[in-house]
Amino acid sequence: MSSIPSLLKILIMTGSDMKKHFLAAYLALAAIPAFSAEPSYLAGLCFAENLIEEGAFETAKPVLPLYSPTLDMKGTILSIVNIQKLGKHRFEIRFIDKNNNVFDRCLFSPRQVNKVPHVETLKCSTSGYWPGGGVQFSVYDTYKGQTKKLGSITLADWTSNMNPD
């Protein structure tokens, strides 16, 4: 973190408004864990047709906002979780239909966290026919016997909005 003051000096000296806004957002996001009473929180979540490896990183390309229940869907849910409490965390990604029924899930083995902050990347590959009306992917963390929803994204079923006329 010693590089942040140096980065701040450089960005302020350049005078670019965009750089100042970026830095303000970065510092605000970096401060969130310090004030968090939660054991973990969701830092990112997306659904992609595939993941592309770029060196040591995996990038989700392209992100799918829509699907059709008549197509065999294949893809990966990529979730980044920031863990703020020491101990055992068990993560789960639930696939929920428009009636709030869980029709599939990915369960992850428990993660023992001995140092915080700790970032965990969860990958869940899926395939098959999904129900019509939209699909929600929700990420949950079970910590000390309590399960908490960290966040979710929804993919819209593009056929449910089509007009038959």
Side-chain angles (χ1 to χ4, degrees):
M1 288 303 228
S2 63
S3 64
I4 290 181
S6 301
L7 180 63
L8 179 61
K9 287 178 189 174
I10 292 169
L11 290 175
I12 289 174
M13 288 172 36
T14 61
S16 167
D17 284 340
M18 187 173 94
K19 289 180 183 177
K20 288 179 187 176
H21 289 274
F22 173 78
L23 180 63
Y26 174 79
L27 292 175
L29 288 173
I32 289 172
F35 301 105
S36 176
E38 300 296 327
S40 60
Y41 66 91
L42 193 62
L45 180 63
C46 71
F47 179 81
E49 286 184 286
N50 57 18
L51 298 179
I52 298 171
E53 290 187 34
E54 296 175 1
F57 299 98
E58 287 184 309
T59 305
K61 293 183 181 174
V63 174
L64 294 178
L66 302 171
Y67 77 98
S68 169
T70 61
L71 299 175
D72 183 17
M73 293 298 300
K74 293 181 178 139
T76 301
I77 298 116
L78 183 64
S79 175
I80 301 168
V81 178
N82 190 327
I83 301 171
Q84 296 299 310
K85 301 281 183 178
L86 299 175
K88 191 179 289 188
H89 294 259
R90 183 173 181 115
F91 296 102
E92 174 183 7
I93 299 176
R94 297 178 189 169
F95 298 54
I96 303 168
D97 67 13
K98 70 177 182 178
N99 298 318
N100 212 27
N101 296 317
V102 176
F103 67 91
D104 201 359
R105 67 183 70 218
C106 290
L107 295 170
F108 298 89
S109 59
R111 289 0 191 218
Q112 179 64 41
V113 176
N114 299 317
K115 182 180 174 186
V116 292
H118 177 81
V119 176
E120 192 71 39
T121 301
L122 308 172
K123 291 190 301 187
C124 174
S125 294
T126 182
S127 66
Y129 292 90
W130 293 345
V135 174
Q136 182 181 90
F137 302 103
S138 297
V139 180
Y140 292 83
D141 178 15
T142 300
Y143 176 74
K144 292 188 175 182
Q146 294 187 352
T147 301
K148 179 172 170 49
K149 181 178 176 180
L150 303 180
S152 63
I153 61 170
T154 301
L155 297 184
D157 168 6
W158 66 271
T159 62
S160 65
N161 294 323
M162 293 179 68
N163 189 346
D165 294 336

